[in-house]
Amino acid sequence: MARALITGASSGIGMEFAHLLAAENKDLIITARRTDRLEQLKTELTQQHSIQVDIIPADLSQPTGPTELYKQIKQRSLQVNLLINNAGFGVYQAFTKADHQRLTEMVQVNVTALTELAHLCAQDMKQLGKGAILNVASMVGLRPLPYYAVYAATKAYVVSLGDALHAELKDDNITVTTLSPGLTQTEFFEVSGYPRSRSTDYFTLPARKVAQIGLKALAKGKAHVVPGSLNNVGAWFLRWIPVSWTRQLVAKRIRQHMAALKQ
């Protein structure tokens, strides 16, 4: 029984992916740590659409999380023909002050778990003769970002991996697309600790819109997509502006922002 597997499905972009795919009558496997939210989402989806939804709670911040999730999928005799690697989080803090365990968990979720699930599912997709993988990165993965240093580095990895796999798995009839959102209406700011402001709200896209753009790009077989016209302009500039300029400018702006918050 083929399913679309969505990680981080309990909120934000992941939840919107679930609603959009359910509207296309696609059966789902939804996973996250918060079982209560997954149960609520399943109820909503099955009441609104004639689909099957399997809940498999998993903590991808733990080293055994991805393999345990995959084992559960196999034990239920399910097949993943679409993987949406959406789970991830950031930490906004000076590197030397950040909690070591939190940084380690972020690398585990954003990099290791994403890689393991892509690897396991791609092998199955190759046997099936087709499949699709949508990896959620971020615009910050296009350049180093002081005070989000580890988060930006993990997303740079996702961008690089996705671009490589897009070319490598094409001959296996597996489409790989990387979605790099800018500011999005999710719980990201609350989780990462970055204070919201009117300026950030101005550039923020709805999570539903971001998910729609990601699925549309995947359907068209694109390697990489940045949602939003303003974000696309910003991404274009980032590709041409020297890294030394952007990292110094961003560091200065963030230090000013942090100093203003303390006043």
Side-chain angles (χ1 to χ4, degrees):
M1 294 179 285
R3 296 283 195 276
L5 169 61
I6 307 171
T7 68
S10 62
S11 64
I13 301 173
M15 181 181 292
E16 297 301 341
F17 278 130
H19 280 287
L20 292 170
L21 291 172
E24 297 178 5
N25 292 317
K26 295 187 183 297
D27 295 329
L28 306 174
I29 302 169
I30 54 176
T31 184
R33 291 181 302 173
R34 295 174 288 192
T35 306
D36 56 338
R37 288 200 179 189
L38 293 176
E39 292 285 0
Q40 182 180 351
L41 178 59
K42 177 180 178 178
T43 300
E44 293 175 4
L45 296 175
T46 53
Q47 286 179 348
Q48 296 171 11
H49 310 281
S50 299
I51 63 167
Q52 297 293 319
V53 178
D54 287 86
I55 293 177
I56 305 180
D59 185 355
L60 298 181
S61 69
Q62 301 303 308
T64 59
T67 53
E68 288 298 325
L69 171 60
Y70 183 74
K71 286 179 183 179
Q72 287 289 323
I73 292 171
K74 288 299 182 181
Q75 288 174 3
R76 300 188 191 192
S77 300
L78 302 174
Q79 291 181 322
V80 176
N81 60 358
L82 168 58
L83 167 63
I84 299 184
N85 260 324
N86 168 74
F89 69 92
V91 172
Y92 169 70
Q93 198 169 18
F95 181 71
T96 54
K97 294 182 179 180
D99 179 73
H100 173 76
Q101 183 64 30
R102 190 64 170 160
L103 294 181
T104 301
E105 290 177 351
M106 179 166 49
V107 173
Q108 168 64 33
V109 175
N110 296 6
V111 173
T112 307
L114 178 142
T115 305
E116 286 190 44
L117 290 174
H119 185 244
L120 292 167
C121 292
Q123 290 176 320
D124 291 343
M125 291 173 187
K126 186 173 182 178
Q127 291 185 343
L128 287 171
K130 63 179 180 179
I133 299 172
L134 179 60
N135 291 324
V136 179
S138 170
M139 274 190 68
V140 304
L142 304 178
R143 278 291 187 271
L145 185 62
Y147 298 94
Y148 267 123
V150 177
Y151 175 69
T154 65
K155 292 306 183 178
Y157 172 91
V158 176
V159 172
S160 179
L161 178 70
D163 284 351
L165 294 184
H166 176 81
E168 182 177 337
L169 299 180
K170 193 171 185 178
D171 290 342
D172 295 318
N173 200 26
I174 301 173
T175 302
V176 180
T177 298
T178 303
L179 172 65
S180 291
L183 300 174
T184 308
Q185 291 174 2
T186 67
E187 297 175 351
F188 178 83
F189 287 107
E190 289 76 10
V191 173
S192 71
Y194 188 88
R196 302 183 72 99
S197 66
R198 290 184 179 181
S199 60
T200 56
D201 289 342
Y202 179 78
F203 291 100
T204 301
L205 289 177
R208 174 66 62 93
K209 182 65 174 178
V210 170
Q212 288 173 332
I213 291 171
L215 291 176
K216 186 176 180 179
L218 182 67
K220 291 184 176 181
K222 292 185 177 181
H224 192 196
V225 62
V226 176
S229 56
L230 290 177
N231 290 333
N232 269 283
V233 172
W236 185 87
F237 275 109
L238 286 175
R239 292 187 182 98
W240 293 101
I241 296 175
V243 174
S244 59
W245 292 10
T246 56
R247 68 181 175 222
Q248 294 300 329
L249 176 62
V250 170
K252 180 179 179 180
R253 291 288 299 273
I254 290 180
R255 282 194 291 267
Q256 290 173 342
H257 180 66
M258 295 176 73
L261 290 173
K262 293 178 180 179
Q263 294 178 355

